[in-house]
Amino acid sequence: VLEAGVCHLEKLAELDVSDTAISSHGLSGLRTLKKLHVLNIARTLIADHALDNVCGLEHLAQLDLDCVSITDDALRRVGGLKSLRDLALFSSRISDHGLEFLLPLQELRSLEVCSGILTNAGLANIARLSALESLSVAHNARVGSSGVSHLAPLAHLRQLNVGFTSVNDDLVSLMCHRHSRGFTSLRAIALNGCTRLSQRARRRLAAVPWLSVIGAEVKPPELPILPPPPALARLPMELEEDDDVDAEDVFELAKSAVASVGDVSCTAEIRGAQEQGDFEYRSGGGGADNSRGRDGFARESISFASLAM
């Protein structure tokens, strides 16, 4: 369909056929779109040789090749697009060697290579693209802090995504000493999923005033797990019903109630004289204190707190 229809669209500037069933043969109609600036063929099943149809697009500035079927061989064709400014190779199977085919693209401003097979050596190749302003090498587990250091001379680099790589605490010295180690224009870095970066390093990066750090949230210190609040042992109902019970009876009955709860601590406080009949006790039901007395001055107070819920 594309091949049959584009013959009448010579002035077309943007074309998006992403997430379609278009084939490599279907892209042959692109040869006539000489004024095309933007081409998105992401998440299709085209093969490397389909890029032969793109080589002659002299004005192409933005190309999205987020396709698992694309390999290093496709970049042999892409390297001839001297006007290219934005290249996305998110899930393409691009290796360190394949990046060498991009070196002629000295006007490239944005590059995304998240193949999962890049190493530190691949970043050394990327560092030769001197006009880069935005770079993502996320999801390449074999990329570490030493590889990121290769990018320091990129004087125009403002955004860097190294999420889900193996960068470690050495990254801090690179970011905190940019005037002596490069990264003079860097303003934002993404660190999602960088498990080798310590909490101390994350705090230091978050404190860099000129750098916006994404995905390096500093976790709060772990709080100790406190025991549950003690449960109060409820005293027998006899205490509320018997007007003649004395302090010794209260203590004995309370001990029986506490024992029925299980593992508890029991404290008894006797205040005032040991006179029978004047006492105060606190029930475990959360109600008001109950007190009785005949002589007006002696007072005993007994409280029980359980450590078990």
Side-chain angles (χ1 to χ4, degrees), residues 100 159 200 232:
E100 296 180 2
Q159 299 176 343
R200 181 174 181 271
L232 297 177

Side-chain angles (χ1 to χ4, degrees), residues 34-260:
K34 299 299 184 180
K35 296 186 181 297
L36 199 63
H37 283 76
V38 179
L39 176 60
N40 187 348
I41 48 180
R43 297 172 297 282
T44 61
L45 298 177
I46 63 169
D48 292 336
H49 65 82
L51 275 299
D52 288 334
N53 301 303
V54 177
C55 293
L57 303 180
E58 300 179 353
H59 300 288
L60 192 64
Q62 182 176 330
L63 177 61
D64 193 336
L65 283 176
D66 178 9
C67 304
V68 294
S69 54
I70 292 296
T71 69
D72 291 346
D73 194 47
L75 298 191
R76 295 177 183 270
R77 286 88 167 175
V78 175
L81 298 172
K82 301 297 180 62
S83 60
L84 205 60
R85 300 291 187 273
D86 188 333
L87 177 60
L89 301 163
F90 185 84
S91 59
S92 303
R93 294 176 293 161
I94 306 302
S95 69
D96 298 340
H97 173 67
L99 293 174
E100 296 180 2
F101 297 122
L102 299 181
L103 296 182
L105 304 180
Q106 289 301 310
E107 297 300 319
L108 198 63
R109 301 290 194 273
S110 176
L111 176 62
E112 184 180 37
V113 190
C114 306
S115 63
I117 57 178
L118 289 188
T119 70
N120 292 332
L123 269 63
N125 289 331
I126 293 176
R128 298 164 66 183
L129 299 172
S130 58
L132 274 182
E133 298 176 0
S134 177
L135 172 64
S136 176
V137 290
H139 298 280
N140 289 290
R142 290 187 287 174
V143 167
S145 296
S146 60
V148 175
S149 67
H150 293 314
L151 306 174
L154 292 175
H156 302 287
L157 188 64
R158 297 178 61 84
Q159 299 176 343
L160 176 61
N161 185 349
V162 290
F164 298 95
T165 65
S166 297
V167 294
N168 56 22
D169 290 10
D170 293 339
L171 185 69
V172 176
S173 61
L174 293 174
M175 299 295 106
C176 294
H177 301 90
R178 63 171 181 162
H179 294 297
S180 59
R181 303 193 180 186
F183 295 108
T184 54
S185 297
L186 194 64
R187 294 294 180 271
I189 185 169
L191 299 169
N192 306 75
C194 294
T195 57
R196 298 191 179 185
L197 202 61
S198 71
Q199 285 295 302
R200 181 174 181 271
R202 293 169 190 268
R203 284 192 291 268
R204 291 188 62 187
L205 287 171
V208 177
W210 50 267
L211 186 64
S212 175
V213 181
I214 303 168
E217 292 80 7
V218 178
K219 297 179 181 178
E222 294 186 1
L223 299 176
I225 299 177
L226 300 176
L232 297 177
R234 186 171 184 85
L235 298 182
M237 293 299 295
E238 298 94 292
L239 296 181
E240 299 179 4
E241 300 171 355
D242 192 348
D243 291 335
D244 297 324
V245 67
D246 59 20
E248 185 177 354
D249 292 332
V250 171
F251 188 71
E252 291 301 323
L253 288 170
K255 284 197 298 183
S256 299
V258 168
S260 68

